[in-house]
Amino acid sequence: MLIALHLLQNHAPSNLNRDDNNEPKDAIFGGVRRARISSQAIKRSIRWSDHFRAPFETQGLLAIRTQLLPEKVRHHLVNAGLNDDDQRAIVEAAARLGKGEQRSPSGEGEAGDERGDQNQPRSSSRSRRSSRQSNTTGDAERIKTAQLMFLTENEIQQLAQRLIEIVREKGAKHLNELQGDTLVREIGEYEPHSVDIAMFGRMTTSSPFKDVEAAVQVAHAISTHAVEMEFDFYTAVDDISGEAGAGFIGDTTFNSATYYKYFSIDWDGLLKNLHGEQNVARQSVEALIRAALFAIPSGKQNSFAAHNLPDLALVEVRKENIALSYANAFVKPVRATGKLSLIEASAKALEEYIPAINERYNLSAQRAFLSTVPFTLSGAECCSDLEKLITWLSKQIGGGVQ
């Protein structure tokens, strides 16, 4: 079974997801330039939204993405009764994990652009820096792994315990001599139990943490129409200097666009990743849908506050695991007219494309939607609010969340 979420979301002037020139990301699609928000930025905003985290935080079903595995392991050594040499050997062994090239199952590392305007490693090349780096205060060193790793607290605890056992049984000298695959084989293999890893997957090299194939795919959001970059020239005034004119001048780039967003959820893959726990899988799908509707990347939101919810949300459930994006409904860029706004024209394009592409390939799906703009789709259930849409989806995937 495959669950799909299609959104039309209009954002007021904003710069939600910047490139390395601090300009809004874009892409050529259908021969014209479109506004774009990367899937990494969308997933990051979802993973850290309260709508996604709240149902699972107290159950220990969430993971963290970090290079600070050695420091997390160090915390577990405090009451282990080990001498300094043993502790150092364990922390350095943790730092030797994940030495290979950084990859992820979906071909992305959820790098710094996810947060839009906060400091994170911004590319895989930068994230492959030395494993030993100074922290921000400069008064101590924090030891890091070469790769960002997506880990649960339980896995970190298991790793720390295993490294303690190795040191106690065979000594620090033995642990110091273990490298690469030899170290990984001695540690063993750990399987995660978390909804975010189950949904978004993980892949590390030279580590004991099992790879997980992502059950959720997220498309880069693109505008349904052509966009032009705009510039805002601004000044800041010194409140107490008494001097005329600006104390600071600057400029920033932005755009405004109606975005098409697409998410697909491989239900069987999700169940497999969650070890067959159907109730957790249903909860995670519900949380993902809510988060996808409410979470917005944080880039320059202090300056633009483009907090605009989707005007159209369409959910599809197919028995066959056939993913189908409707981005091609907008290959010909839509235009606002005297009668239709951009969001209304986008809904109309979607309304015409969905039956056309599905009929050509004899595809069927159960559908429901909620919309603030005129939208009709034969056989689809029109829901008056989000709770009714969630209830409809829960029934489709097996009796509702318990």
Side-chain angles (χ1 to χ4, degrees), residues 343-365:
I343 189 76
E344 290 169 334
S346 301
K348 189 171 187 302
L350 201 58
E351 186 179 274
E352 293 172 353
Y353 184 75
I354 291 174
I357 189 69
N358 279 279
E359 287 171 12
R360 295 297 182 279
Y361 289 92
N362 302 311
L363 298 175
S364 61

Side-chain angles (χ1 to χ4, degrees), residues 313-329:
L314 169 66
V315 177
E316 293 183 317
V317 179
R318 297 183 192 274
K319 290 182 180 178
E320 300 165 314
N321 196 351
I322 298 176
L324 178 56
S325 162
Y326 297 137
N328 282 349

Side-chain angles (χ1 to χ4, degrees), residues 71-148:
E71 298 301 324
K72 298 287 289 183
V73 168
R74 191 196 300 275
H75 288 307
H76 290 279
L77 307 181
V78 173
N79 297 316
L82 299 172
N83 60 39
D84 290 347
D85 289 342
D86 289 346
Q87 291 191 32
R88 188 179 305 110
I90 289 173
V91 171
E92 292 183 350
R96 292 198 297 276
L97 299 173
K99 284 287 189 181
E101 184 176 357
Q102 184 170 348
R103 294 176 292 157
S104 76
S106 53
E108 55 200 321
E110 289 196 8
D113 62 345
E114 282 189 316
R115 304 188 69 171
D117 56 354
Q118 301 184 42
N119 294 325
Q120 289 283 314
R122 292 185 64 82
S123 69
S124 58
S125 61
R126 293 190 185 186
S127 64
R128 290 194 293 271
R129 291 171 297 188
S130 168
S131 63
R132 187 180 292 269
Q133 301 182 10
S134 297
N135 69 3
T136 54
T137 62
D139 58 1
E141 279 194 333
R142 295 189 296 179
I143 299 179
K144 297 182 178 181
T145 56
Q147 294 183 22
L148 274 169

Side-chain angles (χ1 to χ4, degrees), residues 13-18 22-25 252-254 299-300 304:
S14 54
N15 188 346
L16 297 171
N17 184 207
R18 292 175 287 173
N22 282 329
E23 295 179 349
K25 290 186 175 180
T252 188
T253 51
F254 66 94
K300 284 191 174 287
F304 290 98

Side-chain angles (χ1 to χ4, degrees), residues 291-305:
L293 291 167
F294 285 102
I296 297 172
S298 60
K300 284 191 174 287
Q301 282 289 61
N302 288 344
S303 299
F304 290 98

Side-chain angles (χ1 to χ4, degrees), residues 47-48 52-53 62-67 104-105 110 147-153 155-156 192 194-204 209-210 212:
R47 283 204 304 115
W48 285 92
F52 187 78
R53 301 186 70 81
L62 295 173
I64 54 171
R65 189 183 300 277
T66 183
Q67 290 179 280
S104 76
E110 289 196 8
Q147 294 183 22
L148 274 169
M149 294 183 178
F150 205 7
L151 308 169
T152 66
E153 288 291 346
E155 288 177 305
I156 295 169
S194 90
V195 294
D196 39 12
I197 293 177
M199 288 193 141
F200 301 117
R202 79 172 176 196
M203 183 176 287
T204 59
F209 307 110
K210 285 185 68 172
V212 177

